[in-house]
Amino acid sequence: MVRHLAAGLLTIGLALAFAALVLGYQPDAELNRTALYYAENTAKDLGSQNIVTAIVVTYRGLDTLGEVTVLFLAAAIVGLILAPGRGAEGAGRRGAPPPGELLTTGSRMLTPLILITGIYVFVNGHLTPGGGFQGGAILASAALLVLLADPGHRFAHRTIETIEGVSGVAYVAVGLLGLAFAGGFLDNRFLPTGRFGALLSAGAIPVIYTLIGLKVGAEFASILANLTETEERR
Amino acid sequence: MITLSLAVGFALVLAGLYGALTNRNILRMIVSFTVADTGVNIVLVAVGWMRGRTAPILDDAVPIAEAAQRIIDPLPQALVLTAIVIGLGVTALMLAYAYRLYSTAGTLDVSKFTELKW
């Protein structure tokens, strides 16, 4: 009871502080200096239509490399923590009824479409809303569909790990190419920036986002596979 | 409009915080944390909003020359993209730890874990 009261009082206090923030908030009328720089120079310097992508992949590319590393660590630790509980290969789906004809056919039909949508989203990350993380999440949702339709399904962990490792190493390699042939680490301009708005433009941004998409998709898929396979042991 | 987005975001933060403080079940606490996480993301995106402007994508609707007058602040969106991904990684980790706690102690009630209590 005391705990609820204390939590309630804390929440009310914070609510008052937040209310003052909300009521006194006025949206900016002009872009601030950082945003103004991005707005004026992105198209000229990097040739990327989507400014958010330019910030994520190039202006703050090192940040994104760190982010991908954090995600990799999370996936690896999930695998490590759950490893002792993982059932033997093929031992899964005890007692669960086999998936029906409709479910199997439907998931088989939808999986390639979902994969293509994911690839579309990360390949066009520099032109339209979307990018490597979003596309990677869509790729992993295909894995989720397969697991929901047939919880006994086993993914080839080796393949997932290979995709993840190769794309991670290639990401750093592309960054080093930028260091060698352009302005600095993860600079996208060692490839020609091309015609503004074309699919093959913005230098290395589509390459980097494709690699991020594959890596994120593989990481999410391995998290999903680890969680499902552990669950089946009980 | 901006007030509504900010209010919804802060309300989610408060709901998540209250839930994490009062619930005893670890799974419920994890759900509360994800609710608060979503609230923070909504607030951050809302802060980048500016009146009468459009998304920071320089397609046919936004000529490059007018970009500085036509687009909203792109930086909060880039930061929230990072925050969402990290939030997902943290949630996955919390769920994995919750699973291990359940398999060793046989319970998800956080008041039963007294080893580190003072």
Side-chain angles (χ1 to χ4, degrees):
Chain A
M1 198 56 224
V2 176
R3 199 180 66 236
H4 278 71
L5 199 64
L9 282 177
L10 179 69
T11 314
I12 291 171
L14 271 177
L16 290 177
F18 287 162
L21 281 179
V22 171
L23 295 177
Y25 182 77
Q26 280 297 325
D28 293 345
E30 293 294 320
L31 291 176
N32 56 42
R33 279 174 62 196
T34 325
L36 195 64
Y37 179 85
Y38 291 143
E40 285 175 345
N41 296 301
T42 299
K44 179 158 52 82
D45 288 352
L46 307 182
S48 167
Q49 222 174 37
N50 186 341
I51 298 180
V52 177
T53 297
I55 294 175
V56 168
V57 178
T58 303
Y59 287 124
R60 288 165 188 255
L62 195 62
D63 238 12
T64 305
L65 184 60
E67 176 187 1
V68 171
T69 314
V70 169
L71 200 59
F72 165 73
L73 271 179
I77 295 174
V78 167
L80 185 72
I81 293 174
L82 296 181
R86 200 182 295 156
E89 292 288 319
R93 221 177 61 209
R94 240 167 295 147
E101 185 71 31
L102 278 177
L103 208 52
T104 316
T105 315
S107 72
R108 270 191 202 152
M109 197 178 76
L110 281 177
T111 305
L113 292 179
I114 297 177
L115 289 177
I116 289 174
T117 312
I119 292 169
Y120 176 86
V121 167
F122 65 64
V123 166
N124 285 285
H126 57 304
L127 302 177
T128 54
F133 294 98
Q134 299 89 324
I138 295 175
L139 289 190
S141 74
L144 180 63
L145 177 70
V146 170
L147 283 175
L148 283 178
D150 177 12
H153 186 86
R154 284 286 165 272
F155 287 109
H157 281 272
R158 175 84 31 174
T159 317
I160 294 180
E161 282 160 16
T162 312
I163 294 175
E164 189 185 334
V166 168
S167 48
V169 171
Y171 183 13
V172 177
V174 169
L176 289 175
L177 283 176
L179 188 62
F181 298 110
F185 190 60
L186 287 170
D187 194 330
N188 69 331
R189 285 170 293 183
F190 68 90
L191 291 176
T193 48
R195 188 169 60 78
F196 187 73
L199 182 60
L200 289 176
S201 67
I205 288 182
V207 179
I208 294 176
Y209 243 0
T210 302
L211 293 171
I212 293 179
L214 289 174
K215 186 163 168 61
V216 169
E219 271 156 6
F220 285 0
S222 86
I223 291 179
L224 286 172
N226 275 324
L227 286 170
T228 325
E229 289 171 20
T230 312
E231 171 191 27
E232 278 160 18
R233 192 186 51 136
R234 354 200 98 250
Chain B
M1 187 61 203
I2 181 73
T3 317
L4 183 68
S5 317
L6 284 175
V8 167
F10 280 130
L12 285 176
V13 173
L14 292 172
L17 190 68
Y18 182 77
L21 286 173
T22 52
N23 275 306
R24 281 310 191 193
N25 186 303
I26 292 177
L27 285 182
R28 285 167 179 252
M29 292 166 82
I30 295 174
V31 172
S32 305
F33 274 114
T34 57
V35 169
D37 192 32
T38 313
V40 173
N41 290 339
I42 291 176
V43 170
L44 275 177
V45 170
V47 164
W49 181 82
M50 296 161 79
R51 196 175 302 279
R53 295 184 178 223
T54 184
I57 296 176
L58 306 173
D59 55 4
D60 302 337
V62 184
I64 299 172
E66 298 173 22
Q69 283 78 44
R70 299 283 297 276
I71 63 165
I72 60 169
D73 191 348
L75 200 54
Q77 305 194 5
L79 294 181
V80 166
L81 180 59
T82 311
I84 291 173
V85 175
I86 301 297
L88 186 134
V90 171
T91 308
L93 265 186
M94 286 196 286
L95 285 172
Y97 280 128
Y99 173 82
R100 290 300 284 175
L101 285 175
Y102 184 73
S103 60
T104 48
T107 177
L108 281 173
D109 186 344
V110 79
S111 57
K112 297 285 193 319
F113 295 97
T114 51
E115 289 92 346
L116 293 177
K117 202 168 177 177
W118 51 276

